[in-house]
Amino acid sequence: MSEPLVQVDGLTRRFDISKPWLNRVLERQSRQFLTANADVSFSIKKGETFALVGESGSGKSTIAKMIVGLLAPSAGHIRFDGQEMDFASGADMRALRRRFQMIFQDPFASLNPRWRVRDIVAEPIVTFGLLQGSEITREVDRLLEVVGLSATDAAKFPHEFSGGQRQRIAIARALSSKPEFIVCDEPTSALDVSVQAQILNLMRDLQDEFGLTYLLISHDLSVVRHMANCIGVLYLGRLVEVADAKRLFLEPQHPYTRMLLDAVPDLALSGRRRKPVLGEIPNPIDPPSGCAFHPRCPMAADICTAETPLPRVTPTGQAACHFAGQVGEVA
Amino acid sequence: MTGGDMQEPLLTVRDLVVEFPMRRGTLRALDQVSFDIAPGEVLGMVGESGAGKSLTGASIIGLLEPPGRIAGGEIRLRGERIDNLPPEAMRRIRGRRIGMVFQDPLTSLNPLYTVAQQLIQTIRTHMDVSEAEARKRAVALLDRVGIPAAARRIDDYPHHFSGGMRQRVVIALALCAEPELVIADEPTTALDVSVQAQIIDVLKEICAERGASVMLITHDMGVIAETADRVAVLYAGRVAEIGPVRDVIQHARHPYTRGLMGAIPTLEQTSDRLVQIPGAMPRLNAIPKGCAFNPRCEQVFERCYSERPSLRQAAPNHQVACWLTEEGSA
Ligand SMILES: Nc1ncnc2c1ncn2[C@@H]1O[C@H](COP(=O)(O)OP(=O)(O)OP(=O)(O)O)[C@@H](O)[C@H]1O
Ligand SMILES: Nc1ncnc2c1ncn2[C@@H]1O[C@H](COP(=O)(O)OP(=O)(O)OP(=O)(O)O)[C@@H](O)[C@H]1O
Ligand code: SF4
Ligand code: SF4
Ligand SMILES: [Mg+2]
Ligand SMILES: [Mg+2]
């Protein structure tokens, strides 16, 4: 039940964003790199949901793309069910590939508009040669029903569906290769709350039924609170805190986590006051020295500008802060 | 502050109908939308995508895009009709008496001009002040919305600012001619959660300082809960429920509002499943007869299929368009 299905270790990704060579020479500029992820490590247990949260540009999607093999890491390892993922070695990967799938934020962009729903959903089955002929049709019909659509929808095109229905099609497609692990990058951000509730409930039902493991990416802490067993908080490409989902909300250990929690509006009208957040996300090309959060951190001290904090063990998981574990007393 | 009955409303919208004439018949996008906004009040407007929130805002500021047109009802600002004004007169009201903040700050800012040029021009279009005086006001306002080193940053171009900072500039631009009403359409939807809270705070505080009313359009109930005095819930181009924020959130009466509230995951909640409203909002060409919510409503009964419920008083200041309200708790 609880051995890790996915293990990410020291994952790092740099993008070369230098100007063309001639411009660099003329303008006497050196090469420029943007570090989208630095030294990210976490693991996801079988049948559980691990969520990544963080502001725009914090590197959530970049991690997702590396895990599913759409982007090569600059450094670090990804292990799936104990096996090292090396996307360069095509043959080995093929067997692993069908065991995970991805769902994207934008159900409009991720479905080929010229294909019928039948062909969209069947694509992974065909690619991996899982079924033949009429079995494929039967399986597609079944999957459409699993996600709350009907077999008659198979002949339609994506534009004939609403946003929520398209996301259901994307989920049916993701399920068709019988994956164990699904990476969901902002699966409901483009949807209305009523439709979001349908999709989140569906994701949970499917998890219960098929024992699926999810990596859920969202900037919405309430969604994450509802879905995740374990949460990782990203800031400028680094994991600043990893904790048990329930405890993260009760006992945030990192000052940035606390700041994010304080920024969530209070729907329950409980009188919880939001605290104004300081500053904005710095430029990722030229991140602040030491702890990248220090310009916005109410607890920052001299050491924070000089030394990058390493992850420390906390009562709820781990946090990368020189004062981790003391947030409550100092703030 | 709440919309007390004695006070004359700043804005009155009555039975507003907006239609799009199409080749295959006319689409009715807003149908008898009615509400008031009191001076100094923040009215939140929520509803699913396509419910008609933006169209309501666009109708008020006279920016409905053709072929869309107001086909019925009226809109009054301090008692005077503004829905049938000639374009020139409406242009004078826009910016001067009604300010606007949109979701994407780049649609409100011209990339070719510095922030100073845009603010000063807007101020001088609407107010009789010198260039120097306008600049002074502009700097003060930028400072007030939280732009650090405003006196220096004012000469930058919009693309020099981050998304959150741009939206602050847009708020300054919307407020620089001291309007009586600000219409903010999804002002924070494109921004990060941490920055959202800052922007909403600034908007709310400054409007309160200047006594400006706000119509805040958003699909984020959390933002409404913290910011608005009253909230109107739109469904398929109609007002389903309107009332004080606390009443609507804690004692929603319309089955749609209740579903909507239960569908939102919160930090406080502990239950495993979210309330689910079956189905989706109907398209404009397929709005059911009777109550537009009837195919999704768990409490539907015969009358809902044949007669359309209109807004009825359910409690002081709290109106609901549902047959259950009239027969039950009214
Ligand atoms: N192909 C690329 N080339 C250069 N920079 C990139 C590339 N892809 C991503 N980045 C940069 O890497 C950083 C992380 O991007 P990423 O898309 O992972 O963020 P995110 O957390 O998913 O944000 P969002 O919430 O906006 O989706 C950003 O600064 C982004 O600009
Ligand atoms: N130019 C147009 N032609 C035809 N229909 C239109 C046009 N503009 C808007 N509509 C329709 O009017 C309805 C209301 O649109 P509106 O933009 O007001 O929705 P909204 O509540 O602001 O939604 P969102 O949350 O997506 O911004 C929608 O069904 C939309 O499709
Ligand atoms: S290391 Fe310093 S700056 Fe970084 S979060 Fe901790 S206290 Fe704040
Ligand atoms: S009028 Fe009928 S269908 Fe409409 S919300 Fe009320 S009970 Fe439901
Ligand atoms: Mg992303
Ligand atoms: Mg809109």
Side-chain angles (χ1 to χ4, degrees):
Chain A
M1 168 68 201
S2 60
E3 76 268 26
L5 182 68
V6 180
Q7 267 178 294
V8 169
D9 191 14
L11 206 57
T12 300
R13 171 71 206 203
R14 276 181 295 274
F15 289 107
D16 184 347
I17 51 160
S18 318
K19 289 187 182 163
W21 172 79
L22 190 61
N23 296 49
R24 286 208 313 272
V25 174
L26 295 175
E27 295 165 24
R28 291 169 185 280
Q29 282 188 356
S30 54
R31 290 190 89 95
Q32 270 196 318
F33 291 95
L34 183 153
T35 304
N37 293 124
D39 205 10
V40 171
S41 306
F42 59 86
S43 60
I44 312 177
K45 288 181 191 154
K46 231 182 203 130
E48 296 205 336
T49 301
F50 184 92
L52 283 173
V53 295
E55 287 167 281
S56 183
S58 56
K60 305 182 292 296
S61 296
T62 306
I63 294 182
K65 287 180 193 152
M66 287 191 286
I67 291 181
V68 295
L70 291 173
L71 202 64
S74 307
H77 305 271
I78 303 159
R79 258 182 290 278
F80 185 81
D81 207 5
Q83 203 176 332
E84 175 90 24
M85 303 228 273
D86 176 7
F87 290 94
S89 72
D92 287 357
M93 281 311 296
R94 210 178 145 79
L96 275 188
R97 270 305 273 276
R98 63 172 268 209
R99 298 175 63 188
F100 50 86
Q101 283 289 343
M102 183 156 180
I103 301 168
F104 296 94
Q105 165 170 1
D106 190 352
F108 298 78
S110 61
L111 303 179
N112 188 331
R114 284 183 298 274
W115 286 18
R116 291 184 193 275
V117 167
R118 169 182 304 119
D119 302 317
I120 292 173
V121 174
E123 194 207 27
I125 304 179
V126 174
T127 310
F128 296 112
L130 302 176
L131 296 170
Q132 313 299 328
S134 63
E135 287 174 338
I136 299 183
T137 315
R138 256 203 314 276
E139 178 64 4
V140 168
D141 293 353
R142 189 188 69 85
L143 286 165
L144 288 175
E145 267 153 32
V146 166
V147 299
L149 296 170
S150 85
T152 55
D153 291 323
K156 297 184 186 159
F157 289 97
H159 73 257
E160 298 175 60
F161 295 90
S162 69
Q165 288 170 325
R166 284 182 223 210
Q167 204 56 298
R168 288 174 192 267
I169 297 170
I171 293 174
R173 179 183 183 284
L175 290 174
S176 70
S177 66
K178 298 213 162 35
E180 293 148 63
F181 175 53
I182 304 184
V183 175
C184 314
D185 190 354
E186 306 271 9
T188 59
S189 304
L191 306 175
D192 280 311
V193 286
S194 67
V195 185
Q196 167 172 285
Q198 296 172 1
I199 297 293
L200 295 180
N201 284 342
L202 173 65
M203 285 175 60
R204 284 189 87 136
D205 293 346
L206 294 172
Q207 181 164 49
D208 291 346
E209 197 173 331
F210 303 115
L212 293 171
T213 306
Y214 292 129
L215 172 64
L216 172 69
I217 290 176
S218 177
H219 60 264
D220 187 335
L221 284 162
S222 319
V223 166
V224 160
R225 159 90 168 80
H226 183 70
M227 297 291 289
N229 303 95
C230 191
I231 297 174
V233 182
L234 278 169
Y235 188 74
L236 277 178
R238 285 174 189 273
L239 263 185
V240 294
E241 178 161 2
V242 179
D244 170 80
K246 291 212 171 56
R247 298 190 66 184
L248 182 94
F249 290 93
L250 297 172
E251 314 155 62
Q253 303 291 317
H254 195 282
Y256 176 63
T257 311
R258 171 155 295 191
M259 191 186 93
L260 274 184
L261 288 178
D262 283 342
V264 178
D266 174 21
L267 183 60
L269 294 168
S270 62
R272 167 168 67 79
R273 263 317 286 171
R274 274 190 294 114
K275 290 200 205 89
V277 161
L278 306 165
E280 296 190 40
I281 313 174
N283 179 357
I285 300 169
D286 183 20
S289 65
C291 173
F293 186 57
H294 80 248
R296 302 170 81 182
C297 183
M299 289 173 62
D302 289 345
I303 186 176
C304 305
T305 54
E307 281 174 43
T308 306
L310 295 173
R312 300 165 167 225
V313 174
T314 64
T316 59
Q318 61 173 63
C321 168
H322 291 300
F323 305 104
Q326 303 176 15
V327 173
E329 295 120 59
V330 182
Chain B
M1 190 179 305
T2 52
D5 301 46
M6 9 246 107
Q7 214 171 5
E8 192 209 356
L10 172 70
L11 184 84
T12 312
V13 175
R14 276 292 163 274
D15 298 322
L16 180 65
V17 177
V18 168
E19 291 180 343
F20 290 92
M22 303 298 233
R23 214 168 313 140
R24 283 198 235 147
T26 299
L27 289 182
R28 183 166 280 208
L30 293 183
D31 199 355
Q32 301 190 2
V33 168
S34 299
F35 59 89
D36 294 339
I37 303 180
E41 181 182 48
V42 179
L43 177 75
M45 188 158 280
V46 293
E48 286 173 84
S49 183
K53 306 180 296 293
S54 296
L55 284 182
T56 306
S59 307
I60 295 169
I61 53 183
L63 286 180
L64 262 187
E65 284 187 29
R69 60 185 186 91
I70 296 183
E74 52 181 56
I75 303 171
R76 291 175 186 271
L77 185 65
R78 290 213 189 274
E80 281 168 60
R81 275 187 79 162
I82 57 167
D83 54 290
N84 54 4
L85 291 178
E88 187 45 43
M90 197 60 217
R91 209 167 345 212
R92 278 197 301 271
I93 289 184
R94 257 197 319 269
R96 178 69 187 94
R97 298 185 63 193
I98 306 180
M100 295 159 287
V101 179
F102 294 111
Q103 169 170 348
D104 178 5
L106 289 180
T107 56
S108 323
L109 295 171
N110 188 328
L112 301 177
Y113 295 96
T114 65
V115 166
Q117 286 165 332
Q118 301 184 51
L119 281 169
I120 291 169
Q121 198 216 333
T122 309
I123 293 173
R124 296 198 66 198
T125 303
H126 295 297
M127 302 168 111
D128 185 21
V129 294
S130 69
E131 167 103 19
E133 170 63 21
R135 190 180 168 93
K136 222 168 76 192
R137 278 173 179 254
V139 172
L141 199 53
L142 280 186
D143 186 54
R144 181 62 194 85
V145 295
I147 305 272
R152 187 162 52 76
R153 297 296 317 263
I154 193 169
D155 291 310
D156 283 347
Y157 288 87
H159 66 264
H160 291 142
F161 292 85
S162 69
M165 286 295 164
R166 268 183 220 140
Q167 200 59 303
R168 292 172 192 268
V169 172
V170 172
I171 290 175
L173 198 59
L175 286 159
C176 69
E178 302 188 349
E180 296 151 77
L181 173 66
V182 174
I183 297 185
D185 191 349
E186 309 272 7
T188 59
T189 307
L191 303 174
D192 272 308
V193 269
S194 67
V195 182
Q196 271 177 19
Q198 300 171 346
I199 297 295
I200 289 291
D201 280 354
V202 161
L203 183 68
K204 186 174 177 175
E205 274 175 34
I206 301 192
C207 290
E209 266 167 40
R210 294 167 186 234
S213 306
V214 183
M215 177 167 141
L216 178 61
I217 298 172
T218 170
H219 58 260
D220 189 334
M221 261 293 187
V223 167
I224 297 276
E226 288 202 336
T227 314
D229 301 303
R230 282 189 310 140
V231 56
V233 181
L234 246 57
Y235 185 79
R238 308 162 179 203
V239 178
E241 178 157 9
I242 181 168
V245 162
R246 193 166 275 276
D247 289 6
V248 172
I249 288 183
Q250 292 177 339
H251 309 286
R253 288 167 186 260
H254 196 287
Y256 174 63
T257 316
R258 260 187 256 146
L260 205 58
M261 296 308 306
I264 306 172
T266 65
L267 291 190
E268 290 80 12
Q269 119 217 320
T270 45
S271 85
D272 259 7
R273 278 183 82 79
L274 297 166
V275 174
Q276 198 167 314
I277 312 176
M281 202 171 61
R283 291 174 169 248
L284 293 183
N285 57 9
I287 295 184
K289 207 167 155 312
C291 173
F293 189 58
N294 69 39
R296 305 174 75 184
C297 183
E298 285 181 348
Q299 288 160 280
V300 62
F301 59 111
E302 295 89 44
R303 193 174 186 181
C304 313
Y305 293 111
S306 54
E307 288 176 70
R308 174 178 165 181
S310 52
L311 276 179
R312 263 155 250 266
Q313 201 79 12
N317 265 319
H318 190 159
Q319 297 170 295
V320 183
C322 167
W323 289 123
L324 289 175
T325 293
E326 192 202 30
E327 294 176 349
S329 43

